Amino acid sequence: AEAQRDTSRHLQSIRWLSVAVGRQGRGSEAASLYRELEDRARATGDSLHLGWAWVGLAYDHYLAGRSGPAAETYARAAGVLERHAESAGAMWAWNGRAMALRQSGRYDEARDAFLHVLSLAELRHDAINAATALDNLGRLDLQLGDPGLAEKRFARSAAIHRDHQHQREGLVPCIDLARARHMQGRYESAESLLDSVIVVTKELGLRDLEVLAMGQLSDIQLARGRPGSAAGLTREVMASGEPPSRLADTETRIRLARALAARDSAAAAVEVLERIATPGAVSLELQIAILLGSLLQDLGRTGQAIDRLNPALETARAAGADVEQVAILTELGRARASLGLRSEALDAYLEAVDTWEKVRAHPADPAWRELRGTVAGSLFAQAAALLAVDAGRIEDAWTLVQRYRARTLQERMSRPGAHHLG
């Protein structure tokens, strides 16, 4: 095309070369090609290919954790593609904008945006965008603590891809489906699914999906009490080449830190986490703060833990990240109590309890409610101990424990609510 001065075909070639390179996990090369496409499209006045260049550059922003520029660039691309009657491309861009909103912690806006894309895609019989919206809604469900609903969305997405023979795209909801099963304690089923996915990603040379699947497999190994295997998997990923993106690199390092901590190597885990300069997403930033807050306390560095947890709490509140708030407040309560700040510790625990009850109302999945209830038992116990022993408020402590018992008993007796897949 270049030799024949065929501008249109040249732009088309750069666009699809960018896509092909990006899908092999070669993110920096893809971004460079998208910048070239942007420059050439602008120089020739080709607004259609300018829109496609912006889609690619927006995704590069997203992978680097630049959620603001990502959302803005995706919106510009969607507007251009809509004007060219590229409805599928425009919906792809609107899907991307919603992903950036989720990354920045604007969860309610993200959910509304994904649901809007899903309704449009289904109205226009656009299978690929409907499946993508379902994937993204499922991931949001996982973040907000409802793996049962997420599993249904991922299963629908995987079925759409299977029906349309989308091989690469169909692997993505399978990886997410394994994560949903893991979160419900169904480890063997999740592990088996991931093993099959990893085989296919290696055969097709899909490094970004291979890294994603191996990360999920590492999480399962850790949950099954095998921190050595979990650490080995993360180190294998880190040694196998350049990370597909900053997000992928951050997630791998967080997994390594968790595995090290589980092997009684708290100092090594802290060192790994403190080397992460820019996490790339609000959710990852909060994960790091929670883990550091716990590990620093274990090492006797309680003041440093509080310094990490306080700003993280403000970030979580601003983002409406209730699940993360419970963990942050619990760690803050533990830190304050160890410093003798009993009243302040009790305030943190009671706020965590109130937030837990709000979050507890979200998932309709009984297995997940049961698991979350078990985890929260220690939170209620610590809060009740402070009320009874330090504050001398025996009746209040008894009432608090009854709140926990009544809620979990009620949920065991009730039928799970109906899920709306939207």
Side-chain angles (χ1 to χ4, degrees):
E2 190 169 14
Q4 296 177 11
R5 301 182 184 277
D6 187 338
T7 302
S8 177
R9 185 169 295 175
H10 194 190
L11 292 175
Q12 290 176 33
S13 301
I14 296 173
R15 174 195 165 193
W16 288 111
L17 179 59
S18 306
V19 171
V21 168
R23 291 193 176 191
Q24 289 182 330
R26 293 151 60 187
S28 59
E29 291 179 59
S32 177
L33 286 165
Y34 280 120
R35 284 191 289 272
E36 180 184 350
L37 180 62
E38 180 186 33
D39 291 341
R40 290 180 180 272
R42 185 177 281 121
T44 58
D46 188 324
S47 58
L48 173 60
H49 281 95
L50 185 60
W52 284 118
W54 285 341
V55 169
L57 291 172
Y59 188 55
D60 183 59
H61 284 310
Y62 172 80
L63 290 177
R66 299 185 293 269
S67 53
E72 179 186 342
T73 308
Y74 269 127
R76 275 193 290 144
V80 169
L81 295 172
E82 282 178 344
R83 288 194 291 275
H84 281 275
E86 291 273 350
S87 60
M91 278 191 285
W92 187 270
W94 288 126
N95 246 324
R97 177 180 176 272
M99 285 168 50
L101 291 173
R102 184 189 66 205
Q103 185 185 68
S104 65
R106 296 156 65 182
Y107 299 135
D108 290 340
E109 291 178 69
R111 176 187 280 115
D112 291 344
F114 286 133
L115 287 171
H116 179 64
V117 172
L118 178 60
S119 64
L120 281 178
E122 291 178 336
L123 183 67
R124 297 174 182 176
H125 305 289
D126 184 334
I128 187 69
N129 275 303
T132 301
L134 285 165
D135 287 341
N136 285 309
L137 280 165
R139 289 179 201 130
L140 189 56
D141 291 329
L142 290 183
Q143 257 182 292
L144 297 178
D146 201 338
L149 177 54
E151 182 174 6
K152 287 184 168 66
R153 296 201 204 271
F154 294 141
R156 276 183 61 190
S157 174
I160 290 172
H161 287 305
R162 189 166 53 249
D163 290 345
H164 289 79
Q165 298 182 350
H166 299 151
Q167 190 170 30
R168 182 192 192 281
E169 291 81 1
L171 294 172
V172 177
C174 289
I175 296 170
D176 289 323
L177 187 58
R179 183 181 171 203
R181 291 175 181 174
H182 163 208
M183 290 176 71
Q184 295 172 84
R186 295 156 56 196
Y187 300 134
E188 290 185 6
S189 174
E191 205 169 46
S192 175
L193 180 56
L194 287 171
D195 284 340
S196 63
V197 167
I198 290 170
V199 169
V200 177
T201 59
K202 288 180 181 294
E203 288 177 351
L204 299 179
L206 303 174
R207 175 162 165 72
D208 57 334
L209 298 188
E210 180 188 347
V211 169
L212 191 61
M214 289 185 70
Q216 297 298 333
L217 190 57
S218 170
D219 290 343
I220 295 171
Q221 293 298 315
L222 188 59
R224 300 185 78 169
R226 302 167 181 168
S229 296
L233 283 167
T234 57
R235 287 196 170 105
E236 182 181 340
V237 169
M238 293 171 72
S240 62
E242 192 74 20
S245 68
R246 180 184 297 175
L247 290 180
D249 186 51
T250 299
E251 289 170 346
T252 300
R253 292 177 187 277
I254 291 173
R255 288 185 169 102
L256 177 59
R258 292 189 190 282
L260 291 172
R263 297 182 71 180
D264 296 323
S265 301
V270 167
E271 185 179 352
V272 169
L273 293 172
E274 289 183 333
R275 287 180 178 174
I276 302 174
T278 308
V282 171
S283 59
L284 296 181
E285 178 185 334
L286 295 177
Q287 283 185 47
I288 291 169
I290 293 164
L291 189 50
L292 272 174
S294 176
L295 292 171
L296 288 169
Q297 289 184 74
D298 293 343
L299 293 170
R301 296 157 59 182
T302 306
Q304 292 178 41
I306 290 175
D307 289 343
R308 289 279 188 168
L309 292 166
N310 280 329
L313 180 60
E314 296 308 312
T315 300
R317 283 172 173 158
D322 293 334
V323 174
E324 288 84 354
Q325 280 188 67
V326 173
I328 294 169
L329 286 163
T330 301
E331 290 299 335
L332 268 176
R334 182 162 78 99
R336 291 171 180 175
S338 69
L339 293 177
L341 305 172
R342 308 304 242 187
S343 176
E344 291 88 341
L346 181 58
D347 289 342
Y349 282 138
L350 293 179
E351 186 180 347
V353 165
D354 290 340
T355 307
W356 174 82
E357 290 199 321
K358 181 170 66 171
V359 175
R360 182 80 166 168
H362 291 170
D365 182 83
W368 179 240
R369 286 200 312 255
E370 183 74 16
L371 178 61
R372 288 275 285 279
T374 301
V375 171
S378 62
L379 165 61
F380 276 79
Q382 292 174 74
L386 280 177
L387 279 170
V389 177
D390 291 89
R393 295 159 56 185
I394 305 296
E395 291 185 4
D396 289 341
W398 175 256
T399 301
L400 182 67
V401 172
Q402 295 312 304
R403 280 169 63 187
Y404 172 74
R405 291 182 62 192
R407 171 65 71 88
T408 52
L409 179 61
Q410 179 189 35
E411 288 170 350
R412 287 173 186 166
M413 294 172 63
S414 65
R415 295 174 61 226
H419 289 301
H420 173 60
L421 295 183

